[in-house]
Structures are given as structure tokens and as C-alpha cells.
Amino acid sequence: QVQLVESGGELVQAGGSLRLSCAASGRTLSTYTMGWFRQAPGKEREFVASSSGGLNYYADSVKGRFTISRDKAKNTVYLQMNNLKPEDTAVYYCAASGALLYSNTIVVQGSYQYWGQGTQVTVSS
């Protein structure tokens, strides 16, 4: 019973920056995987970034531009997005797993038990 609430999505111009936040509440665990997925109109939901076991993972499309981080004391995960591009436009979802995820399981949606409501990020050109 974990609740996730995303915030920070808004309209920005290409090249700009944005930071998304995801606060977890309820019966949170001391250690678990937290990540971000996104879904653009007409496209399938895709993996963006995740943090598990002290390691961070990124989709190729965002490497070098996005950074995932955690504040464990606040049960909050962040996604710092720099040099945003129009193709980054999507609804961004926070996701969490009650177990540590490794290797290719990290990018699989079904590996995550908890999901937030999503926050809209729109990048204009």
C-alpha cells in the first residue's frame, strides 16, 4: 500500500530544464526501486530512468540530459531534466517496486507494483 504523487510537470521551451518530484507515502520500505516512465500521444509507455540498489539507469534517449536522484529521508525521488527537446513531451509517471530490480528487469513496466497519476511535460519548439 504505497501511494505515489508526481509534481513539477509544465510547459517549457526547448533547451530548458525541469525537475519532477515523486513523493511516496503509506507503507514504504527502507529500500526499494523507484523510477520514471513516460508516454507520448500515440506511443507506448517507455522507460526513462530508475534507481535501484544505489545504481542509476537511463534510457539511451535521455542519457547525459536527465538525472535521477533520491532523498531517502523524505521518501522522494526526483528527475532533473536538462536540455529538453520536443520529443520529451509526454505524461511522466513515477513507479516503484517493493524489491530491488536488476539488469533488464529495471526497464520492464510489469516489474513495478506502484504507479503515480502522471504529470504532463510539454516542450515547445
Side-chain angles (χ1 to χ4, degrees):
Q1 298 180 356
V2 175
Q3 294 79 46
L4 303 175
V5 179
E6 306 100 327
S7 62
E10 60 183 70
L11 173 66
V12 297
Q13 294 187 28
S17 297
L18 202 61
R19 189 178 78 160
L20 305 183
S21 299
C22 173
S25 62
R27 299 183 181 181
T28 58
L29 302 177
S30 59
T31 58
Y32 66 146
T33 303
M34 297 189 73
W36 294 90
F37 289 75
R38 68 185 183 185
Q39 186 167 23
K43 300 181 66 176
E44 296 184 357
R45 189 174 301 178
E46 65 177 355
F47 169 79
V48 176
S50 190
S51 179
S52 181
L55 299 177
N56 297 334
Y57 303 83
Y58 300 93
D60 289 341
S61 59
V62 306
K63 285 182 179 178
R65 299 189 297 121
F66 291 10
T67 303
I68 188 171
S69 62
R70 286 196 204 181
D71 185 336
K72 293 187 176 182
K74 296 181 179 180
N75 291 318
T76 300
V77 64
Y78 305 93
L79 185 67
Q80 178 66 47
M81 304 184 293
N82 297 326
N83 190 25
L84 285 162
K85 303 176 180 180
E87 50 263 45
D88 293 319
T89 295
V91 176
Y92 284 70
Y93 297 90
C94 178
S97 173
L100 294 176
L101 302 178
Y102 305 94
S103 189
N104 57 323
T105 61
I106 296 174
V107 307
V108 178
Q109 297 177 48
S111 298
Y112 300 80
Q113 293 80 52
Y114 311 101
W115 294 82
Q117 81 288 348
T119 185
Q120 176 71 49
V121 172
T122 302
V123 184
S124 64
S125 59

